[in-house]
Amino acid sequence: MAKSVLGLVGGSGIYDLPGLENAEWVGVDSPWGDPSDKVRIGYIDGLKVVFLPRHGRGHIYAPSDINYRANIDVLKRCGVTDLVSVSACGSLKEELAPGTFVLVDQFIDRTFARAKSFFGQGCVAHVSMAYPVSPKLVDCVEMAARAEDLSYRRGGTYLAMEGPQFSSLAESHLYRSWGCDVIGMTNMPEAKLAREAEICYTTVAMITDYDSWHPDHGEVDIQAILKVLHDNASNAQRLVARIARDLPREHEACPVGSDTALEFAIMTAPEARDPELVSKLDAIAGRVLKG
Ligand SMILES: CSC[C@H]1O[C@H](OP(=O)(O)O)[C@H](O)[C@@H]1O
Ligand SMILES: Nc1ncnc2[nH]cnc12
């Protein structure tokens, strides 16, 4: 079994990860273009931790402009086996009040202006997204949330919208009628790409607002979101530090096959593969392409 390496993608309001030992910002090249930033690599209790601010330090990239493929590729190149995404989200349920942490287990992808796969012409692959998060990683996040006495709920469906504008009232009602729990702009295609990269993935959705549907809360207000983010920053940091302390040091096989997703996924015959694309896939799919 491989050694675990914990990846953390920090969302809005999370641009650094205090508490890492021997930490340094490291630039990692990717054939998929520029990632959002350098990665911050360090250690917590001997565990290698790789942090990447999704929007870049200073919040440079809007959700549609993030190079999700480069981000996942550099995390894979750094050896990440388990990836926790921390994201600011709107609530689509009365009982999920701002400040609550939702351990998401399903996604509905309504984004339409992003590159969503590492594969394509010359190397076609189809991975399963039926169970997009890795239950053992969620177990670890849940134990950490409980130990840190955070208000959390395990399970929930994340609606990924294109943005950057927030939803209209009609859209917010539509997503509620679909049974969605939280809404955000970034976890797709991130979760799909993590699956293609055979990285175990999970999302911690930090509820910052009631989106636009709630009669008592009015429109989404970015100032109010920033205040909730600020007030919850230390909770998020404690949660992440605890996850790092408790994650098993040997990577355990994923019960939903996240870490073997490519085993039978590639359809293109070896002799029909595009050598240029195959070369770009060295980190993502080297395990199966090397034969
Ligand atoms: C700060 S409000 C909108 C912004 O916050 C979320 O980003 P992230 O998932 O990276 O925390 C949301 O998806 C939007 O990008
Ligand atoms: N209401 C909302 N919609 C989309 N993304 C968000 N991020 C935080 N709140 C959000």
Side-chain angles (χ1 to χ4, degrees), residues 95-126:
E95 64 275 21
L96 299 176
T100 309
F101 290 71
V102 179
L103 315 188
V104 167
D105 63 355
Q106 283 294 333
F107 298 92
I108 293 179
D109 185 2
R110 293 258 304 171
T111 65
F112 50 81
R114 305 169 186 198
K116 295 193 183 191
S117 178
F118 290 105
F119 297 90
Q121 189 175 348
C123 194
V124 176
H126 301 281

Side-chain angles (χ1 to χ4, degrees), residues 12 87-91 158-159 161 165-167 183-186 206-212 220 225:
S12 296
S87 282
C89 288
S91 168
Y158 176 117
L159 187 294
M161 61 178 291
Q165 301 83 0
F166 292 112
S167 311
I183 182 164
M185 304 178 190
T186 61
M206 286 199 302
I207 302 286
T208 52
D209 56 274
Y210 272 113
D211 203 40
S212 48
V220 184
I225 289 181

Side-chain angles (χ1 to χ4, degrees), residues 116-153:
K116 295 193 183 191
S117 178
F118 290 105
F119 297 90
Q121 189 175 348
C123 194
V124 176
H126 301 281
V127 298
S128 170
M129 285 301 293
Y131 301 102
V133 307
S134 302
K136 284 188 191 252
L137 189 53
V138 186
D139 288 344
C140 184
V141 175
E142 181 174 18
M143 279 190 322
R146 203 177 294 142
E148 293 298 333
D149 206 18
L150 300 183
S151 163
Y152 78 93
R153 193 182 82 180

Side-chain angles (χ1 to χ4, degrees), residues 17-281:
L17 193 61
L20 288 180
E21 298 145 28
N22 300 321
E24 51 177 344
W25 289 99
V26 180
V28 182
D29 290 334
S30 167
W32 299 94
D34 290 334
S36 298
D37 207 328
K38 293 179 173 177
V39 290
R40 184 103 167 127
I41 301 183
Y43 294 82
I44 294 181
D45 280 357
L47 177 77
K48 182 175 170 183
V49 178
V50 185
F51 170 78
L52 177 63
R54 179 187 285 126
H55 301 273
R57 279 169 286 172
H59 208 111
I60 311 298
Y61 297 104
S64 311
D65 299 330
I66 292 168
N67 186 341
Y68 296 93
R69 291 193 297 193
N71 285 357
I72 293 295
D73 182 72
V74 299
L75 292 168
K76 184 76 181 177
R77 284 178 196 281
C78 292
V80 168
T81 55
D82 297 85
L83 180 58
V84 178
S85 146
V86 183
S87 282
C89 288
S91 168
L92 297 169
K93 293 272 167 75
E94 177 81 50
E95 64 275 21
L96 299 176
T100 309
F101 290 71
V102 179
L103 315 188
V104 167
D105 63 355
Q106 283 294 333
F107 298 92
I108 293 179
D109 185 2
R110 293 258 304 171
T111 65
F112 50 81
R114 305 169 186 198
K116 295 193 183 191
S117 178
F118 290 105
F119 297 90
Q121 189 175 348
C123 194
V124 176
H126 301 281
V127 298
S128 170
M129 285 301 293
Y131 301 102
V133 307
S134 302
K136 284 188 191 252
L137 189 53
V138 186
D139 288 344
C140 184
V141 175
E142 181 174 18
M143 279 190 322
R146 203 177 294 142
E148 293 298 333
D149 206 18
L150 300 183
S151 163
Y152 78 93
R153 193 182 82 180
R154 182 168 180 154
T157 298
Y158 176 117
L159 187 294
M161 61 178 291
E162 187 62 47
Q165 301 83 0
F166 292 112
S167 311
S168 69
L169 192 55
E171 287 166 335
S172 202
H173 284 308
L174 177 68
Y175 305 146
R176 273 169 54 74
S177 78
W178 289 351
C180 300
D181 297 282
V182 301
I183 182 164
M185 304 178 190
T186 61
N187 278 211
M188 284 292 175
E190 194 174 84
K192 288 177 173 169
L193 295 167
R195 177 59 53 87
E196 287 187 345
E198 300 190 321
I199 295 174
C200 292
Y201 183 87
T202 195
T203 290
V204 177
M206 286 199 302
I207 302 286
T208 52
D209 56 274
Y210 272 113
D211 203 40
S212 48
W213 64 271
H214 200 298
D216 302 336
H217 291 270
E219 296 168 29
V220 184
D221 170 359
I222 194 73
Q223 291 302 113
I225 289 181
L226 291 175
K227 184 175 183 320
V228 177
L229 277 178
H230 183 259
D231 293 348
N232 275 279
S234 70
N235 283 342
Q237 272 154 14
R238 281 191 290 118
L239 179 70
V240 162
R242 176 76 69 160
I243 294 167
R245 265 181 275 149
D246 294 347
L247 188 77
R249 273 26 186 177
E250 299 290 321
H251 175 75
E252 295 174 354
C254 175
V256 298
S258 313
D259 44 11
T260 52
L262 291 178
E263 200 69 48
F264 304 107
I266 298 179
M267 302 283 293
T268 310
E271 64 280 8
R273 291 177 190 161
D274 171 8
E276 212 172 298
L277 178 52
V278 168
S279 143
K280 280 173 83 173
L281 287 164

